Amino acid sequence: QVQLLESGGGLVQPGGSLRLSCSFSGSIFSCETMAWYRQAPGKEREMVAFISSGSGNYVESVKGRFTISRDLAKNTVYLQMISLKPEDTAVYFCNAKSVRTTTRWYPEFWGQGTLVNVSS
């Protein structure tokens, strides 16, 4: 079964850095768009970054601090986060859209989420 799996979350002090990774557990032919979402306690899930081709796009609150990148050969997406703030604390979810596997096409996949806790 093809799954989308995140890793790299954890506890980090304000001003610190983390890199999140997300990749498919099984082989796929292609994936049109990959994105990172986050959901803080009591808040709605929001998209923080996405990438298809070319440069990434970001929500205003993370511009200049977060960088999304994609390794097409590995079907992997990363989120490099620097200058982390307590407000960045959330569960971060990976999302992939228009995924073609060896057997069928899927409109999207969601990862299980990885917790980022920015605290002293």
Side-chain angles (χ1 to χ4, degrees), residues 80-94:
Q80 179 67 55
M81 305 181 291
I82 66 171
S83 301
L84 283 162
K85 305 175 181 179
E87 306 93 273
D88 296 318
T89 296
V91 176
Y92 285 70
F93 298 90
C94 181

Side-chain angles (χ1 to χ4, degrees), residues 35-75:
W36 288 96
Y37 290 73
R38 69 184 180 187
Q39 187 166 25
K43 297 184 179 180
E44 295 184 349
R45 187 175 299 186
E46 66 170 345
M47 179 185 287
V48 298
F50 71 90
I51 187 169
S52 53
S53 61
S55 300
N57 298 87
Y58 307 88
V59 68
E60 190 68 27
S61 61
V62 308
K63 286 182 178 178
R65 300 188 299 116
F66 290 11
T67 302
I68 187 170
S69 61
R70 184 177 182 181
D71 186 331
L72 293 174
K74 297 180 179 180
N75 289 309

Side-chain angles (χ1 to χ4, degrees), residues 24-43:
F24 287 93
S25 62
S27 297
I28 66 168
F29 282 125
S30 63
C31 174
E32 181 177 306
T33 303
M34 300 191 79
W36 288 96
Y37 290 73
R38 69 184 180 187
Q39 187 166 25
K43 297 184 179 180

